[in-house]
Amino acid sequence: MLRALLCACLLAAHLCAAGTSRTLNLRPVIVNLTKCSMVITRCNRKCLEGTSQNLAPTSIWMRINLTETDYRNIFFSINGLLLPGGNVDLETSQFSRASRIFYDLALRANKAGDFFPIWGTCQGLQQLSVLTADQNLLTDTDTEAVALPLNLTPAAESSRLFRNFPKDLMQNLAEENITSNFHRWSLSVQNFSQSALLKRFYKVLSTNSDGEKEFISTMEAHRYPFYAVQWHPEKSSFEWTDKPGMVHSTAAVRASFYTGGFFVSEAMKSHHRFSRPRQEEEALIYNFAPVYIRGRAAFVQIYYFD
Ligand SMILES: *[C@@H]1O[C@H](CO)[C@@H](O)[C@H](O)[C@H]1NC(C)=O
Ligand SMILES: *[C@@H]1O[C@H](CO)[C@@H](O)[C@H](O)[C@H]1NC(C)=O
Ligand SMILES: *[C@@H]1O[C@H](CO)[C@@H](O)[C@H](O)[C@H]1NC(C)=O
């Protein structure tokens, strides 16, 4: 019963940067690829948007088991892809298959000058590492409920992701325990360094440690608008379960908004669009109302599809 009904999405944050340039797409549409569905959100200027973050079984109006042609059509209608947290097989699941199709399309598009950004959070980072390395290099770490300060690398300051963050926020990120870690698997610095494919592709912006293994906590691609964090920027503003690792300080919430805002500003550089406005209207998350689930799960709000 629950299985049939439940397709849960946590609301995550996307503060849409106010852009005025004529070359920007001020109505970017971002797909959040989840275990059973894709959730499509539009961010327009000055809006504060929720996008889904995590999912339970079954599927929706736009299913995860689409054909490659379907994904192609969707790809050329949307302006960014969010790979959220979760718990799926990174090599055999429908999620990994859909991620690979979008990833390959995004590589090709960007190479041809058609800007298309990808963001990975937690499992999203892990999935991106598997796609780029063409193998699973992850290792078990003791990081299932802990808030950590980022060990920023020298590359962080000039990175596209962080360079426009306020100085005091960067200091908060470096010194305070404000990034939430809820993961069992990590990409260790050791395995990253031994993979020519990963090293060539990504610049490491921060690392963390579980006390034994040092792992990558933030990275961005050298030549593609692809970004990934092992931590959860969205939890501080949208998740309120009281447990270790959760942080709701002003600095943590600011980090959440700056991170979401950054990705939306990247999506604004993409000019893909639905061929018919009707098609876009039907796909948007606004067709569904999230439900407050009162402490029955880790999340606060859930979308029910089907
Ligand atoms: C996708 O899954 C749905 C629901 O399980 C099913 O009805 C549909 O036939 C599937 N489509 C493909 C292409 O496998
Ligand atoms: C490196 O990757 C392998 C999988 O290829 C994994 O078994 C191993 O635990 C990883 N080691 C470290 C230190 O990350
Ligand atoms: C704060 O971060 C440090 C690592 O710098 C870690 O050892 C410690 O467990 C964290 N404290 C909390 C309360 O999460």
Side-chain angles (χ1 to χ4, degrees):
M1 171 80 171
L2 201 60
R3 237 185 107 78
L5 280 177
L6 197 69
C7 204
C9 309
L10 165 77
L11 293 180
H14 283 297
L15 179 66
C16 305
T20 48
S21 162
R22 270 200 215 114
T23 62
L24 292 180
N25 169 8
L26 298 180
R27 299 162 65 90
V29 173
I30 292 169
V31 159
N32 181 351
L33 188 68
T34 58
K35 193 148 129 188
C36 62
S37 66
M38 289 185 291
V39 174
I40 298 190
T41 316
R42 171 155 67 223
C43 284
N44 56 22
R45 204 141 56 112
K46 294 198 211 114
C47 73
L48 183 65
E49 283 286 351
T51 63
S52 71
Q53 168 59 19
N54 212 334
L55 270 248
T58 200
S59 45
I60 56 161
W61 80 108
M62 196 165 277
R63 298 174 191 278
I64 189 87
N65 61 349
L66 303 182
T67 66
E68 219 163 316
T69 311
D70 293 332
Y71 283 122
R72 245 189 100 74
N73 290 336
I74 293 163
F75 179 78
F76 290 105
S77 307
I78 60 173
N79 309 112
L81 173 70
L82 171 63
L83 300 174
N87 184 22
V88 297
D89 189 292
L90 299 175
E91 287 159 295
T92 59
S93 62
Q94 295 275 15
F95 174 88
S96 67
R97 173 178 168 267
S99 300
R100 177 173 293 285
I101 294 169
F102 279 130
Y103 176 84
D104 289 341
L105 286 166
L107 283 181
R108 242 176 291 154
N110 282 296
K111 260 187 234 164
D114 173 19
F115 191 92
F116 186 89
I118 299 182
W119 183 273
T121 292
C122 194
Q123 178 187 267
L125 178 146
Q126 299 167 0
Q127 181 68 72
L128 283 170
S129 81
V130 171
L131 292 170
T132 306
D134 214 12
Q135 60 175 316
N136 187 336
L137 292 173
L138 303 169
T139 189
D140 225 335
T141 50
D142 183 17
T143 42
E144 271 176 284
V146 61
L148 299 169
L150 298 179
N151 299 324
L152 296 167
T153 65
E157 202 181 326
S158 59
S159 65
R160 299 185 305 273
L161 171 54
F162 286 133
R163 72 182 165 214
N164 290 324
F165 277 38
K167 288 267 174 299
D168 62 330
L169 180 57
M170 290 309 287
Q171 195 172 344
N172 297 145
L173 280 166
E175 292 173 3
E176 297 170 20
N177 288 44
I178 58 170
T179 63
S180 291
N181 285 259
F182 288 89
H183 52 106
R184 181 175 160 201
W185 299 100
S186 301
L187 175 61
S188 69
V189 169
Q190 185 183 320
N191 273 10
F192 178 91
S193 309
Q194 287 170 4
S195 163
L197 287 171
L198 287 176
K199 267 198 307 191
R200 213 182 302 146
F201 202 87
Y202 296 104
K203 190 189 303 177
V204 177
L205 307 187
S206 77
T207 63
N208 278 101
S209 169
D210 70 347
E212 285 180 15
K213 289 180 202 152
E214 202 187 354
F215 61 90
I216 313 291
S217 47
T218 312
M219 61 188 190
E220 70 181 22
H222 288 287
R223 291 207 298 276
Y224 294 91
F226 298 174
Y227 306 88
V229 289
Q230 185 58 69
W231 45 288
H232 284 271
E234 81 291 351
K235 284 193 192 288
S236 53
S237 30
F238 288 94
E239 234 177 87
W240 296 93
T241 308
D242 195 11
K243 60 185 174 190
M246 298 295 291
V247 196
H248 301 291
S249 66
T250 303
V253 172
R254 272 181 96 207
S256 169
F257 286 157
Y258 270 93
T259 310
F262 170 76
F263 186 57
V264 172
S265 70
E266 288 290 273
M268 285 175 170
K269 299 179 197 163
S270 160
H271 294 274
H272 292 180
R273 56 190 312 149
F274 282 86
S275 46
R276 285 176 292 119
R278 182 70 195 271
Q279 229 184 348
E280 180 183 310
E281 280 162 19
E282 283 170 2
L284 287 171
I285 189 70
Y286 301 136
N287 289 289
F288 298 87
V291 177
Y292 175 43
I293 54 159
R294 293 206 230 163
R296 277 184 283 126
F299 307 124
V300 177
Q301 286 180 307
I302 286 185
Y303 283 99
Y304 291 87
F305 302 113
D306 272 351

